[in-house]
Amino acid sequence: MINDLISDSLTRIRNAGMRRLETTQLLHSKVIEALLGIFQAKGYIESFNVIEKDKKKFINVVLKYDEKGKSVINEVKRISKPGRRVYKGKDEIKRFKNGYGTIVVSTSKGVLANDEAYKAGVGGEVLCTIW
């Protein structure tokens, strides 16, 4: 049984990228779907789609690689964990890795990237960072 779906999903993406796999399959949840939407918008993954098998939902993720065959994801890290939640205010989530990275924040307005959360003027729980 998996307690933390977000960290499991991030680990599956990280491992698939290290093995140079074309796709990987994740367990479905609305938060993970929103997280993958941000990853796709920022150019870290190619695409994703929701599949239903035997009344269970899964998400197929197509990974993205550069022209040398290296994964475009350098590092993906879970920040807020079930044992230790991390919250940041709107001023603390301004930039990450000098604008090259992205902080994913769960706010009252949904799951947002750091630049969108800053523009909306909201803070929240820091789910993960990616660059």
Side-chain angles (χ1 to χ4, degrees):
M1 189 172 139
I2 300 166
N3 289 330
D4 189 10
L5 279 176
I6 297 171
S7 60
D8 176 66
S9 299
L10 296 177
T11 301
R12 287 182 189 208
I13 290 171
R14 187 183 312 114
N15 290 344
M18 285 193 288
R19 291 191 56 211
R20 309 258 193 289
L21 297 178
E22 186 81 19
T23 63
T24 185
Q25 197 173 64
L26 311 177
L27 298 172
H28 181 270
S29 83
K30 289 180 182 178
V31 173
I32 293 174
E33 207 172 325
L35 196 76
L36 291 173
I38 292 171
F39 287 178
Q40 185 178 6
K42 297 290 183 179
Y44 294 111
I45 62 171
E46 201 72 48
S47 64
F48 70 95
N49 58 338
V50 179
I51 298 168
E52 193 167 335
K53 270 197 258 180
D54 302 328
K55 297 183 181 178
K56 274 194 167 186
K57 286 186 177 181
F58 295 97
I59 303 174
N60 262 358
V61 180
V62 180
L63 300 174
K64 191 173 183 179
Y65 298 95
D66 62 6
E67 56 276 345
K68 295 177 185 173
K70 188 175 179 285
S71 177
V72 296
I73 299 173
N74 293 314
E75 180 184 74
V76 60
K77 200 176 199 178
R78 178 81 157 114
I79 302 299
S80 189
K81 300 173 183 170
R84 181 175 173 264
R85 302 289 184 189
V86 178
Y87 298 94
K88 300 274 184 196
K90 65 175 183 186
D91 298 325
E92 296 175 298
I93 56 171
K94 208 172 193 175
R95 292 177 80 183
F96 176 67
K97 293 282 185 189
N98 238 5
Y100 288 107
T102 304
I103 301 171
V104 181
V105 186
S106 177
T107 68
S108 57
K109 296 186 178 181
V111 179
L112 301 173
N114 59 334
D115 51 350
E116 296 166 9
Y118 183 75
K119 284 178 190 166
V122 291
E125 182 181 351
V126 180
L127 297 179
C128 65
T129 58
I130 186 168
W131 69 278

PDB file of all heavy atoms in Angstrom, residues 114-129:
ATOM      1  N   ASN A 114       5.052  28.172  -9.086  1.00  0.00           N
ATOM      2  CA  ASN A 114       5.430  29.296  -8.221  1.00  0.00           C
ATOM      3  C   ASN A 114       5.150  30.661  -8.851  1.00  0.00           C
ATOM      4  O   ASN A 114       4.695  31.562  -8.162  1.00  0.00           O
ATOM      5  CB  ASN A 114       6.895  29.181  -7.799  1.00  0.00           C
ATOM      6  CG  ASN A 114       7.864  29.166  -8.957  1.00  0.00           C
ATOM      7  OD1 ASN A 114       7.523  28.775 -10.077  1.00  0.00           O
ATOM      8  ND2 ASN A 114       9.082  29.563  -8.699  1.00  0.00           N
ATOM      9  N   ASP A 115       5.387  30.814 -10.142  1.00  0.00           N
ATOM     10  CA  ASP A 115       5.148  32.118 -10.770  1.00  0.00           C
ATOM     11  C   ASP A 115       3.654  32.452 -10.826  1.00  0.00           C
ATOM     12  O   ASP A 115       3.261  33.596 -10.614  1.00  0.00           O
ATOM     13  CB  ASP A 115       5.779  32.180 -12.165  1.00  0.00           C
ATOM     14  CG  ASP A 115       5.406  31.011 -13.050  1.00  0.00           C
ATOM     15  OD1 ASP A 115       4.802  30.044 -12.549  1.00  0.00           O
ATOM     16  OD2 ASP A 115       5.733  31.067 -14.255  1.00  0.00           O
ATOM     17  N   GLU A 116       2.813  31.452 -11.064  1.00  0.00           N
ATOM     18  CA  GLU A 116       1.365  31.680 -11.080  1.00  0.00           C
ATOM     19  C   GLU A 116       0.839  31.999  -9.678  1.00  0.00           C
ATOM     20  O   GLU A 116      -0.026  32.854  -9.511  1.00  0.00           O
ATOM     21  CB  GLU A 116       0.641  30.449 -11.627  1.00  0.00           C
ATOM     22  CG  GLU A 116       0.972  30.135 -13.063  1.00  0.00           C
ATOM     23  CD  GLU A 116       0.530  28.742 -13.472  1.00  0.00           C
ATOM     24  OE1 GLU A 116      -0.176  28.079 -12.695  1.00  0.00           O
ATOM     25  OE2 GLU A 116       0.911  28.325 -14.578  1.00  0.00           O
ATOM     26  N   ALA A 117       1.376  31.299  -8.666  1.00  0.00           N
ATOM     27  CA  ALA A 117       0.955  31.543  -7.281  1.00  0.00           C
ATOM     28  C   ALA A 117       1.371  32.942  -6.842  1.00  0.00           C
ATOM     29  O   ALA A 117       0.615  33.636  -6.144  1.00  0.00           O
ATOM     30  CB  ALA A 117       1.553  30.499  -6.347  1.00  0.00           C
ATOM     31  N   TYR A 118       2.553  33.383  -7.254  1.00  0.00           N
ATOM     32  CA  TYR A 118       3.030  34.722  -6.899  1.00  0.00           C
ATOM     33  C   TYR A 118       2.148  35.789  -7.548  1.00  0.00           C
ATOM     34  O   TYR A 118       1.782  36.775  -6.909  1.00  0.00           O
ATOM     35  CB  TYR A 118       4.495  34.899  -7.312  1.00  0.00           C
ATOM     36  CG  TYR A 118       5.061  36.224  -6.903  1.00  0.00           C
ATOM     37  CD1 TYR A 118       5.390  36.484  -5.579  1.00  0.00           C
ATOM     38  CD2 TYR A 118       5.254  37.239  -7.829  1.00  0.00           C
ATOM     39  CE1 TYR A 118       5.890  37.706  -5.194  1.00  0.00           C
ATOM     40  CE2 TYR A 118       5.757  38.462  -7.454  1.00  0.00           C
ATOM     41  CZ  TYR A 118       6.076  38.695  -6.128  1.00  0.00           C
ATOM     42  OH  TYR A 118       6.574  39.919  -5.740  1.00  0.00           O
ATOM     43  N   LYS A 119       1.787  35.581  -8.829  1.00  0.00           N
ATOM     44  CA  LYS A 119       0.918  36.542  -9.528  1.00  0.00           C
ATOM     45  C   LYS A 119      -0.472  36.583  -8.892  1.00  0.00           C
ATOM     46  O   LYS A 119      -1.092  37.632  -8.811  1.00  0.00           O
ATOM     47  CB  LYS A 119       0.793  36.175 -11.003  1.00  0.00           C
ATOM     48  CG  LYS A 119       2.009  36.525 -11.814  1.00  0.00           C
ATOM     49  CD  LYS A 119       1.849  36.088 -13.250  1.00  0.00           C
ATOM     50  CE  LYS A 119       3.158  36.221 -13.990  1.00  0.00           C
ATOM     51  NZ  LYS A 119       3.152  35.506 -15.274  1.00  0.00           N
ATOM     52  N   ALA A 120      -0.962  35.407  -8.451  1.00  0.00           N
ATOM     53  CA  ALA A 120      -2.281  35.343  -7.818  1.00  0.00           C
ATOM     54  C   ALA A 120      -2.243  35.868  -6.387  1.00  0.00           C
ATOM     55  O   ALA A 120      -3.292  36.123  -5.796  1.00  0.00           O
ATOM     56  CB  ALA A 120      -2.802  33.909  -7.834  1.00  0.00           C
ATOM     57  N   GLY A 121      -1.046  36.022  -5.820  1.00  0.00           N
ATOM     58  CA  GLY A 121      -0.907  36.554  -4.469  1.00  0.00           C
ATOM     59  C   GLY A 121      -1.281  35.565  -3.381  1.00  0.00           C
ATOM     60  O   GLY A 121      -1.785  35.940  -2.331  1.00  0.00           O
ATOM     61  N   VAL A 122      -1.010  34.264  -3.638  1.00  0.00           N
ATOM     62  CA  VAL A 122      -1.336  33.240  -2.647  1.00  0.00           C
ATOM     63  C   VAL A 122      -0.109  32.367  -2.347  1.00  0.00           C
ATOM     64  O   VAL A 122       0.755  32.187  -3.194  1.00  0.00           O
ATOM     65  CB  VAL A 122      -2.499  32.324  -3.122  1.00  0.00           C
ATOM     66  CG1 VAL A 122      -3.801  33.084  -3.151  1.00  0.00           C
ATOM     67  CG2 VAL A 122      -2.200  31.690  -4.471  1.00  0.00           C
ATOM     68  N   GLY A 123      -0.066  31.873  -1.136  1.00  0.00           N
ATOM     69  CA  GLY A 123       0.941  30.901  -0.737  1.00  0.00           C
ATOM     70  C   GLY A 123       0.243  29.589  -0.477  1.00  0.00           C
ATOM     71  O   GLY A 123      -0.936  29.430  -0.748  1.00  0.00           O
ATOM     72  N   GLY A 124       0.982  28.636   0.059  1.00  0.00           N
ATOM     73  CA  GLY A 124       0.372  27.353   0.367  1.00  0.00           C
ATOM     74  C   GLY A 124       1.388  26.286   0.679  1.00  0.00           C
ATOM     75  O   GLY A 124       2.536  26.581   1.006  1.00  0.00           O
ATOM     76  N   GLU A 125       0.971  25.036   0.546  1.00  0.00           N
ATOM     77  CA  GLU A 125       1.844  23.902   0.836  1.00  0.00           C
ATOM     78  C   GLU A 125       2.740  23.634  -0.363  1.00  0.00           C
ATOM     79  O   GLU A 125       2.266  23.468  -1.491  1.00  0.00           O
ATOM     80  CB  GLU A 125       1.003  22.654   1.144  1.00  0.00           C
ATOM     81  CG  GLU A 125       1.845  21.456   1.505  1.00  0.00           C
ATOM     82  CD  GLU A 125       1.023  20.216   1.774  1.00  0.00           C
ATOM     83  OE1 GLU A 125      -0.213  20.305   1.846  1.00  0.00           O
ATOM     84  OE2 GLU A 125       1.635  19.149   1.900  1.00  0.00           O
ATOM     85  N   VAL A 126       4.046  23.588  -0.144  1.00  0.00           N
ATOM     86  CA  VAL A 126       5.011  23.335  -1.208  1.00  0.00           C
ATOM     87  C   VAL A 126       5.072  21.829  -1.457  1.00  0.00           C
ATOM     88  O   VAL A 126       5.558  21.082  -0.606  1.00  0.00           O
ATOM     89  CB  VAL A 126       6.405  23.880  -0.832  1.00  0.00           C
ATOM     90  CG1 VAL A 126       7.384  23.603  -1.943  1.00  0.00           C
ATOM     91  CG2 VAL A 126       6.332  25.358  -0.532  1.00  0.00           C
ATOM     92  N   LEU A 127       4.545  21.381  -2.584  1.00  0.00           N
ATOM     93  CA  LEU A 127       4.507  19.950  -2.875  1.00  0.00           C
ATOM     94  C   LEU A 127       5.865  19.430  -3.339  1.00  0.00           C
ATOM     95  O   LEU A 127       6.374  18.448  -2.798  1.00  0.00           O
ATOM     96  CB  LEU A 127       3.457  19.653  -3.956  1.00  0.00           C
ATOM     97  CG  LEU A 127       2.012  19.978  -3.588  1.00  0.00           C
ATOM     98  CD1 LEU A 127       1.086  19.672  -4.752  1.00  0.00           C
ATOM     99  CD2 LEU A 127       1.585  19.205  -2.354  1.00  0.00           C
ATOM    100  N   CYS A 128       6.458  20.066  -4.362  1.00  0.00           N
ATOM    101  CA  CYS A 128       7.729  19.587  -4.876  1.00  0.00           C
ATOM    102  C   CYS A 128       8.439  20.689  -5.661  1.00  0.00           C
ATOM    103  O   CYS A 128       7.858  21.736  -5.940  1.00  0.00           O
ATOM    104  CB  CYS A 128       7.533  18.372  -5.783  1.00  0.00           C
ATOM    105  SG  CYS A 128       6.629  18.706  -7.294  1.00  0.00           S
ATOM    106  N   THR A 129       9.705  20.419  -5.970  1.00  0.00           N
ATOM    107  CA  THR A 129      10.477  21.311  -6.846  1.00  0.00           C
ATOM    108  C   THR A 129      10.993  20.476  -8.012  1.00  0.00           C
ATOM    109  O   THR A 129      11.248  19.273  -7.871  1.00  0.00           O
ATOM    110  CB  THR A 129      11.674  21.944  -6.117  1.00  0.00           C
ATOM    111  OG1 THR A 129      12.522  20.908  -5.614  1.00  0.00           O
ATOM    112  CG2 THR A 129      11.217  22.828  -4.977  1.00  0.00           C
TER     113      THR A 129
END
